[in-house]
Amino acid sequence: MKRILGIDCSPKVEKVVSGLFGGNDDVQYEQFHDGIALNGYQMIILEMGRNQEHVVQQICKLRYACNFQNIPIILINARKKDIPSQPYIIAGATEVLSLSDPLPACRHIMNGYLIPGREPLEEEFEYLDPFIKNTCHILQTMASIHVEFKKVYFSNTIRIFGDVSGIMGLSGNAEGTLVVTFYWDLAKAIVAKMMGMEEGEIDAELIHDGVSEIINMISGSTKKEFVGTPYHFEISLPSVVVGPGHQIGYLQNTSVAVLIFQVGTQSFALHVCIKPKTTLS
Amino acid sequence: MKAIVADDSRLIRGIIEKTAASIGFEAVQAGNGREALSLLEASGGEINLVLLDWNMPLVSGIDVIRKMRGDDRFKKIPVLMISTESEEDRIQEAIRAGAQGYLTKPFTADQLTDAIHQVLEKH
C-alpha cells in the first residue's frame, strides 16, 4: 500500500483522488503549513491555489521538505482555465494535471510516478561503498562532524533540488560525474566548522569554495580505491552551481545513484553517475 | 619564518595558514601555481617553506616544484605537497619531482603539523 499525502485539497479534488487510487492506497489530507513532514509518503498531491507566486513558494517548501528524496509532487489544477506548467515544474513540481484531463490518463501518469526508485544491486554497492565511507570520513576529519549514511536510490532525473552543488567531472578508465548537493544552512554550518569560525563570519564565496573542496576530496580520496578496476577515474578541477532546483546533465544511458547522508536533523546528497570501462586495457 | 600557502581553495588556504601560524609561520597565500612562483620571485629569499596543492589552475603544484628545483635560488626551500591525489604513483611522482613531504586531503590540524615538522627535519 502506497502512502499519499493530499495538501490543500478541496472536496472536489479529494473525490477525484479517491477515484484515482480506489482505496488500494492510504491517502491522507492536510492543510499546507511550514515544517510539514513528508517522511514515509510516496507521493504528494497539491491542489493549486489562485496565486501563482504562493503556489510556487509552496512547491519550493515541499521540495525542501523532501530532503533529497525523490518524492513526486503532483500539482492539481481544479479550475477550468488552462495554465502554463513551466513555473511550477521549475519550482519543483513533478507534474501538473488538470481535472479536465481524462481520468484514465491521470491514473496512468500517477501510477507511473508511484513506481519506486530502484535500489542498488549487491555488486553496485562495491563501487558505492567507498564513496559512502570517504564522504563520512572527510567531514569527520575536516569539520569534526558526524555524518550518517541514510539511504540510496537510483534515479534518471536530472533535477537537483538543493541550494549549492559541487561538481566533479570524471574521465579516464571510468567516465561520469560526481555531485554533492547541500541546502545553504548545512553548507554554511559545515564550512564554519572546517574553518573554526562562527557561521556569521562565513560569506557566500567561502561556502562555494568549501563545497567545491568537499567534492574534490570525495573524488580524490575515492579514486585511489578503484586503482586496477574498471571504476578507476581521473579528476579535474571542480566547479560549483548555486540556486534552488538547478539542473545537472549526466551521461546518457547511465543512471544516477543518489546517496543521502544525515548530519543531525539535516540532509545532503551525493549523486554518483559513473560508467565503468567494460574491458580493462 | 615565512611560508607560501598555495591552493586554489580559499577555505583550504585559511585552514593551512591557521595551522602554520600556530607553529610560528607567517603565511602568504597564492591562489594558483603562477602566483606561488611570483611570490617566490618577490620574496628576496625569505621563504622557509612552501605548502602546495597539486591541482591548481594556470600552473599546477607539480610544475611549481619542478620550476623550483630547476632554479638555484629556490631549489633548497622545503616543499610539502597537500593534495587530494592519493594514489601511490602520484605521491612518488611528487617526491621524485622534489617534494620533501606529501599529505593527502582530508587532514586534521595535528596531521598537518606533524607533516610540516617532518619536512623541516628532512631539510
Side-chain angles (χ1 to χ4, degrees):
Chain A
M1 182 179 278
K2 302 283 192 296
R3 290 188 71 214
I4 295 158
L5 179 63
I7 298 172
D8 288 357
C9 292
S10 60
K12 186 175 160 190
V13 169
E14 282 189 22
K15 195 176 165 191
V16 172
V17 169
S18 298
L20 283 170
F21 296 107
N24 294 326
D25 295 302
D26 172 16
V27 187
Q28 293 174 19
Y29 295 97
E30 63 177 274
Q31 292 301 301
F32 182 89
H33 59 89
D34 286 342
I36 198 163
L38 304 181
N39 275 347
Y41 288 107
Q42 278 85 47
M43 178 178 281
I44 309 300
I45 294 172
L46 172 68
E47 182 174 343
M48 185 189 292
R50 289 185 179 278
N51 182 322
Q52 178 183 311
E53 197 177 321
H54 179 64
V55 176
V56 163
Q57 281 178 9
Q58 281 184 316
I59 295 167
C60 281
K61 286 177 181 175
L62 289 172
R63 193 43 81 189
Y64 277 101
C66 289
N67 263 327
F68 302 103
Q69 293 179 81
N70 202 17
I71 305 173
I73 298 175
I74 310 296
L75 195 59
I76 303 281
N77 173 20
R79 287 172 285 150
K80 284 181 183 164
K81 207 173 91 181
D82 260 359
I83 47 107
S85 60
Q86 192 188 18
Y88 309 107
I89 298 293
I90 288 171
T94 312
E95 188 76 65
V96 181
L97 297 176
S98 167
L99 286 192
S100 56
D101 293 334
L103 217 55
C106 291
R107 184 180 290 119
H108 183 72
I109 290 168
M110 288 170 119
N111 281 334
Y113 287 123
L114 280 171
I115 297 169
R118 180 172 74 78
E119 292 198 359
L121 307 168
E122 201 167 313
E123 56 265 32
E124 286 170 322
F125 266 115
E126 283 177 22
Y127 80 84
L128 293 176
D129 276 342
F131 288 106
I132 296 167
K133 183 190 73 179
N134 288 323
T135 302
C136 295
H137 174 67
I138 285 159
L139 292 181
Q140 178 69 53
T141 305
M142 296 298 291
S144 302
I145 284 174
H146 177 69
V147 178
E148 201 178 334
F149 168 65
K150 293 304 282 185
K151 67 180 286 190
V152 56
Y153 63 85
F154 278 87
S155 168
N156 291 320
T157 173
I158 57 163
R159 295 298 299 277
I160 291 180
F161 290 95
D163 294 325
V164 53
S165 288
I167 304 163
M168 178 65 81
L170 312 179
S171 59
N173 224 1
E175 295 181 330
T177 315
L178 296 177
V179 181
V180 68
T181 303
F182 294 93
Y183 296 142
W184 196 254
D185 288 349
L186 181 58
K188 187 184 232 185
I190 289 172
V191 170
K193 292 273 277 178
M194 287 170 88
M195 293 289 286
M197 293 163 75
E198 295 295 323
E199 285 184 36
E201 299 173 85
I202 303 298
D203 58 30
E205 191 201 335
L206 261 181
I207 293 173
H208 302 169
D209 213 67
V211 171
S212 161
E213 199 52 39
I214 288 167
I215 195 65
N216 194 25
M217 286 190 274
I218 292 170
S219 321
S221 55
T222 305
K223 80 182 183 114
K224 177 178 74 170
E225 307 201 19
F226 293 137
V227 170
T229 77
Y231 287 99
H232 187 236
F233 54 79
E234 294 300 332
I235 58 175
S236 53
L237 293 173
S239 43
V240 174
V241 175
V242 183
H246 50 266
Q247 302 197 22
I248 310 284
Y250 291 106
L251 287 177
Q252 280 191 333
N253 305 321
T254 308
S255 55
V256 181
V258 183
L259 307 168
I260 301 177
F261 296 87
Q262 198 157 347
V263 178
T265 57
Q266 301 181 82
S267 301
F268 70 93
L270 177 69
H271 303 74
V272 180
C273 176
I274 186 165
K275 189 176 182 184
K277 199 170 185 177
T278 45
T279 52
L280 272 173
S281 53
Chain B
M1 291 190 296
K2 268 194 164 178
I4 291 175
V5 177
D7 196 301
D8 54 336
S9 162
R10 178 180 149 210
L11 176 124
I12 294 292
R13 290 199 305 271
I15 293 170
I16 295 172
E17 181 175 3
K18 206 174 268 188
T19 303
S22 74
I23 53 174
F25 279 94
E26 182 194 336
V28 281
Q29 296 190 13
N32 57 60
R34 188 181 289 172
E35 277 182 27
L37 290 168
S38 299
L39 286 172
L40 276 169
E41 289 283 350
S43 67
E46 285 187 355
I47 299 297
N48 309 98
L49 174 66
V50 175
L51 303 158
L52 267 182
D53 185 18
W54 186 312
N55 293 313
M56 290 187 287
L58 302 178
V59 177
S60 71
I62 196 84
D63 286 338
V64 171
I65 300 179
R66 288 179 181 133
K67 283 193 165 62
M68 286 175 68
R69 295 307 175 231
D71 189 319
D72 286 342
R73 294 171 298 166
F74 312 131
K75 68 185 343 172
K76 290 191 174 160
I77 299 173
V79 173
L80 172 63
M81 181 156 265
I82 304 167
S83 173
T84 54
E85 296 283 354
S86 54
E87 289 123 299
E88 192 53 36
D89 58 345
R90 289 302 176 102
I91 296 171
Q92 290 310 317
E93 188 182 345
I95 301 296
R96 276 198 306 276
Q100 274 78 19
Y102 197 103
L103 180 65
T104 53
K105 299 173 188 173
F107 55 84
T108 62
D110 286 345
Q111 287 166 337
L112 176 56
T113 304
D114 288 348
I116 292 173
H117 282 140
Q118 281 173 21
V119 161
L120 295 174
E121 277 167 21
K122 278 185 194 170
H123 182 63

